[in-house]
Amino acid sequence: MLSYSVHVAPAKVAVSDDLPPGEDRRRWSPTASTLIFGERDAVLVDPLMTIDESRVLTDWILTTGKNVTTIFITHAHGDHFFGAPAVLERFPAARVVAAPAVVEHIPAQWSPQWLDGYWKPRFPGQLSDQRFPIEPLADGRLELEGEQLQAIELGHTDTDSTSSLYVPSIGLVVAGDAVYGDVHLYMAESTGDGSRRWLDALNTLDGLRPTAVVSGHKRDGDPHSPDDIGRTRRYLEDFSAAREEAANYQELYDSVLARHPGRENRGVLWNSVKAIFA
């Protein structure tokens, strides 16, 4: 039987002078990385972003005694894959793979527009410049000690062309950012019909009837619950309803916050509502 364990990198400061009311700094949401393993070998899902947090992740993996044979990337946002070089230093034979549509979108994150224009200003001196090859999974399948793992291509969730990794033998879905824990959703790329397409993706995951779901952004220590699918759905529906009533981004921010006051990282909600009204 396969097993899994989850490492959550804590929230970290991101350099920004665009802060929501009452906040004195911008924070990046806590981010999950999942190790799926058998007796000897392991698949790592989403190797995080900064040099330091990916080294901490690698040290954590080494304590398990497992050999990482494959690194799977769920989607083309740099906070989920820029950290791969630190893992590859300790596991140089590991393949880095992703669904074909994800592989197509990843080079944009390394482009001057995004790497130099977005990521590095927010995390100065914290990101690796090392590039690495990423292999497209033509049939979406991985094998780990005789068990099948399946990439589930979902289309748009919090960005275009995303995926999750499904482990049928243990009922596990490693959702990437298709599903969020108790953290505000990143909605800045979900204008137009983005929310509807995201809801369609959640229906796809629900149809797998998972017994465990690892959300891409979640609080450390929270359960890996399939209920996060429903909670993500309700947030999307609440956001859409609030958008219909709001006259400006401040009203939308206040309305969503009133519906979800306990979720972590109001900064991502602030960025999302401003993008909606841009």
Side-chain angles (χ1 to χ4, degrees):
M1 285 289 292
L2 300 180
S3 299
Y4 75 98
S5 189
V6 178
H7 173 87
V8 178
K12 50 193 167 288
V13 174
V15 177
S16 176
D17 57 4
D18 184 16
L19 304 176
E23 299 288 314
D24 60 0
R25 57 183 176 175
R26 176 73 166 89
R27 297 186 69 81
W28 201 262
S29 297
T31 307
S33 184
T34 302
L35 192 72
I36 304 163
F37 55 89
E39 184 178 352
R40 301 169 308 279
D41 294 335
V43 172
L44 178 68
V45 184
D46 288 348
L48 303 177
M49 172 171 53
T50 72
I51 295 169
D52 285 348
E53 69 185 3
S54 57
R55 285 176 176 164
V56 170
L57 170 66
T58 305
D59 289 343
W60 171 78
I61 296 168
L62 290 171
T63 67
T64 71
K66 305 302 179 182
N67 174 47
V68 175
T69 61
T70 308
I71 299 170
F72 179 85
I73 299 170
T74 58
H75 64 290
H77 274 159
D79 58 330
H80 290 261
F81 71 87
F82 283 160
V87 182
L88 291 169
E89 284 177 7
R90 304 306 295 267
F91 300 98
R95 305 157 61 205
V96 183
V97 303
V102 175
V103 174
E104 290 181 8
H105 283 76
I106 281 176
Q109 295 286 286
W110 278 325
S111 70
Q113 176 185 354
W114 279 102
L115 185 60
D116 298 327
Y118 181 85
W119 292 109
K120 285 186 175 182
R122 283 160 177 78
F123 301 98
Q126 299 175 63
L127 305 180
S128 172
D129 287 318
Q130 185 177 340
R131 307 292 192 269
F132 46 89
I134 303 171
E135 175 187 336
L137 288 174
D139 61 0
R141 296 187 180 186
L142 291 172
E143 185 174 302
L144 178 59
E145 295 192 358
E147 298 286 354
Q148 295 294 315
L149 287 64
Q150 179 69 49
I152 308 296
E153 296 195 63
L154 297 170
H156 182 88
T157 58
D158 76 346
T159 190
D160 288 338
S161 302
T162 67
S163 71
S164 297
L165 190 63
Y166 177 44
V167 189
S169 65
I170 55 175
L172 171 67
V173 167
V174 185
D177 285 1
V179 181
Y180 276 61
D182 198 20
V183 177
H184 283 287
L185 275 62
Y186 171 66
M187 300 289 295
E189 296 181 43
S190 292
T191 55
D193 66 347
S195 291
R196 178 193 59 75
R197 290 189 286 155
W198 196 337
L199 289 168
D200 289 343
L202 295 178
N203 291 338
T204 297
L205 295 181
D206 252 341
L208 299 173
R209 303 183 185 277
T211 58
V213 173
V214 179
S215 301
H217 293 286
K218 66 193 311 309
R219 296 181 189 270
D220 193 12
D222 281 358
H224 313 306
S225 173
D227 292 341
D228 277 355
I229 297 176
R231 285 191 283 265
T232 300
R233 181 181 290 109
R234 286 191 292 277
Y235 189 102
L236 289 165
E237 292 170 346
D238 288 348
F239 193 100
S240 294
R243 171 67 183 91
E244 292 299 317
E245 300 171 357
N248 53 57
Y249 67 78
Q250 182 68 62
E251 287 187 8
L252 180 55
Y253 175 80
D254 292 340
S255 181
V256 175
L257 192 59
R259 289 170 165 89
H260 300 272
R263 282 184 178 252
E264 186 167 344
N265 196 0
R266 297 180 178 189
V268 74
L269 172 59
W270 182 249
N271 292 154
S272 295
V273 299
K274 294 185 82 171
I276 296 294
F277 276 91

